[in-house]
Amino acid sequence: MSAENLNTPEAKPKGGNTGRIISIIVGALLVGAVSFFAYRWNEAEKSIQAFEVNEENLTAEIVDLEENLDDFKLQLDDQALDLEDKERMLQEKELLIIEKEKRIDDLVRKNRLSQKQADELRAKVKSLNYYITRYEEQIDELKSRVALLEGEKAELESKVNNMSSKVQELKSENEAKEFKLDVAKVLGTNSFGSYYIRSNGKKIASNPIRRRRMDHFEICFNIVQNTAADKGERDVYLQVRNPAGEVIRDNGSQSGYHPLESAGGGDQPYTSKTKIDFDGTNTSVCIDFQTPEDIDLEKGIYDVMVYADGYNIGSSSFEVN
């Protein structure tokens, strides 16, 4: 072997370096592919979990709403609850269902819910809508009943008012008849006359009466026929007022007080009285009065009033000179 051959370095084949480079590249690609597929797998798992979470949450909410609707059915049957409150509560439930439908659509749009899951949830919501429709029909029926009852109530009130009016009319008519009957029962008088009584008892008609003859006087009158008046005994009261308007009275042997039905009631002083037995026909009545010595009768016009059964049944006057 020559010296030239000993000093020349041994040449390496080119194929060895190329294979190494290819191995490195392939390894890197494999690592990248594994990492990529691992990432995609992880994302797919997250997406599936998100689908499951969204579906579970919505399913739970829909179940709660379904239970809520079951409770509402009891409230709908509650007679103590106002119809307006029931309608308001149903509208709230309807809004909740609409909100769930929007949630399903929104999750599908964002690819956070599969179409299959969305269809299943929509089916549940649809069944809830069925109940809403039924309850709306029930509320409409209740409204119709209420309207019918209100109409019947108004009709009954109208009938009651009409009956009340008729009763009031009849009552007024009866009261008017009773009043007329009471008025018809009141006695009437006419033919008044004034007399003075002599010491021998003789009665002398006189008007005017002389003052010196007024120690014993008498007022006579006629009670006219009245078939409506009650028959039987009754007191008739004479009231004589002097020119000053004062009732002539003694110490109580002839005079006193009698009750009044008219003129606000109360007791009325009288000068003298007598008792009669009225039989419904014309009845002549005379009431006398013996003037006490301590009463000094003056000249002038004296008013005369007659009372029976609590009513003023006649009046007249006479003069003293």
Side-chain angles (χ1 to χ4, degrees), residues 189-193 219-223 236 283-287 306:
T189 58
N190 60 18
S191 305
F192 277 83
I219 302 298
C220 294
F221 50 89
N222 183 53
I223 295 180
V236 180
T283 306
S284 296
V285 180
C286 288
I287 305 176
V306 179

Side-chain angles (χ1 to χ4, degrees), residues 30 40 44 61 70 91 105 117 148 150 181 201 233 258 270 297-298 312:
L30 286 172
R40 290 297 299 274
E61 290 176 13
D70 287 339
Q91 288 172 352
D105 294 339
Q117 291 169 328
L148 182 63
E150 286 178 350
L181 184 59
E233 288 189 350
H258 67 95
Y270 65 87
L297 297 177
E298 58 190 76
N312 183 346

Side-chain angles (χ1 to χ4, degrees), residues 47-289:
S47 179
I48 290 169
Q49 289 174 2
F51 280 2
E52 290 174 352
V53 169
N54 289 326
E55 183 187 16
E56 288 174 4
N57 289 345
L58 262 178
T59 302
E61 290 176 13
I62 291 170
V63 169
D64 287 343
L65 184 55
E66 191 172 9
E67 292 174 354
N68 201 295
L69 280 171
D70 287 339
D71 293 337
F72 176 70
K73 186 179 186 305
L74 298 176
Q75 293 170 328
L76 196 64
D77 295 333
D78 187 357
Q79 300 297 326
L81 240 127
D82 289 339
L83 186 57
E84 291 180 0
D85 290 336
K86 293 177 181 178
E87 192 170 20
R88 176 182 53 77
M89 292 166 68
L90 183 61
Q91 288 172 352
E92 290 174 359
K93 305 296 183 288
E94 196 169 6
L95 289 174
L96 286 173
I97 289 176
I98 292 171
E99 187 265 335
K100 297 295 178 286
E101 290 173 339
K102 288 181 179 177
R103 285 271 305 280
I104 294 170
D105 294 339
D106 186 53
L107 290 173
V108 170
R109 191 167 48 253
K110 293 178 179 178
N111 291 322
R112 296 175 64 185
L113 200 66
S114 70
Q115 192 61 48
K116 180 182 178 182
Q117 291 169 328
D119 290 342
E120 290 174 353
L121 291 172
R122 284 193 182 104
K124 292 179 181 291
V125 171
K126 186 176 180 181
S127 68
L128 296 183
N129 269 321
Y130 166 75
Y131 288 111
I132 290 290
T133 303
R134 278 183 57 194
Y135 295 152
E136 283 176 343
E137 290 172 354
Q138 280 185 258
I139 285 180
D140 288 340
E141 186 179 350
L142 286 173
K143 281 183 178 179
S144 299
R145 287 181 187 173
V146 168
L148 182 63
L149 288 173
E150 286 178 350
E152 291 176 352
K153 180 185 175 185
E155 186 178 351
L156 284 173
E157 286 177 349
S158 177
K159 288 181 179 178
V160 168
N161 290 334
N162 288 337
M163 289 298 295
S164 298
S165 298
K166 289 180 180 178
V167 168
Q168 190 60 41
E169 287 175 9
L170 288 172
K171 185 179 177 183
S172 298
E173 288 177 7
N174 287 334
E175 287 176 352
K177 288 177 181 177
E178 287 176 4
F179 177 75
K180 288 179 180 178
L181 184 59
D182 289 339
V183 170
K185 287 181 178 181
V186 176
L187 300 177
T189 58
N190 60 18
S191 305
F192 277 83
S194 54
Y195 303 82
Y196 68 88
I197 310 297
R198 288 180 175 176
S199 58
N200 61 4
K202 188 175 181 180
K203 186 167 62 176
I204 308 298
S206 179
N207 189 9
I209 303 175
R210 291 186 180 182
R211 184 180 175 190
R212 63 185 177 84
R213 299 189 182 278
M214 282 295 292
D215 58 336
H216 190 181
F217 66 90
E218 188 173 78
I219 302 298
C220 294
F221 50 89
N222 183 53
I223 295 180
V224 298
Q225 178 178 320
N226 188 338
T227 55
D230 295 330
K231 298 176 176 61
E233 288 189 350
R234 52 172 44 82
D235 290 323
V236 180
Y237 301 91
L238 173 70
Q239 185 186 79
V240 179
R241 292 179 178 267
N242 63 22
E246 299 168 342
V247 177
I248 299 173
R249 302 173 61 237
D250 65 3
N251 58 9
S253 60
Q254 302 173 91
S255 307
Y257 290 86
H258 67 95
L260 278 182
E261 292 292 336
S262 58
D267 289 335
Q268 181 82 1
Y270 65 87
T271 304
S272 185
K273 73 173 183 176
T274 190
K275 188 181 290 290
I276 66 168
D277 188 5
F278 185 69
D279 61 1
T281 61
N282 290 322
T283 306
S284 296
V285 180
C286 288
I287 305 176
D288 71 316
F289 181 73

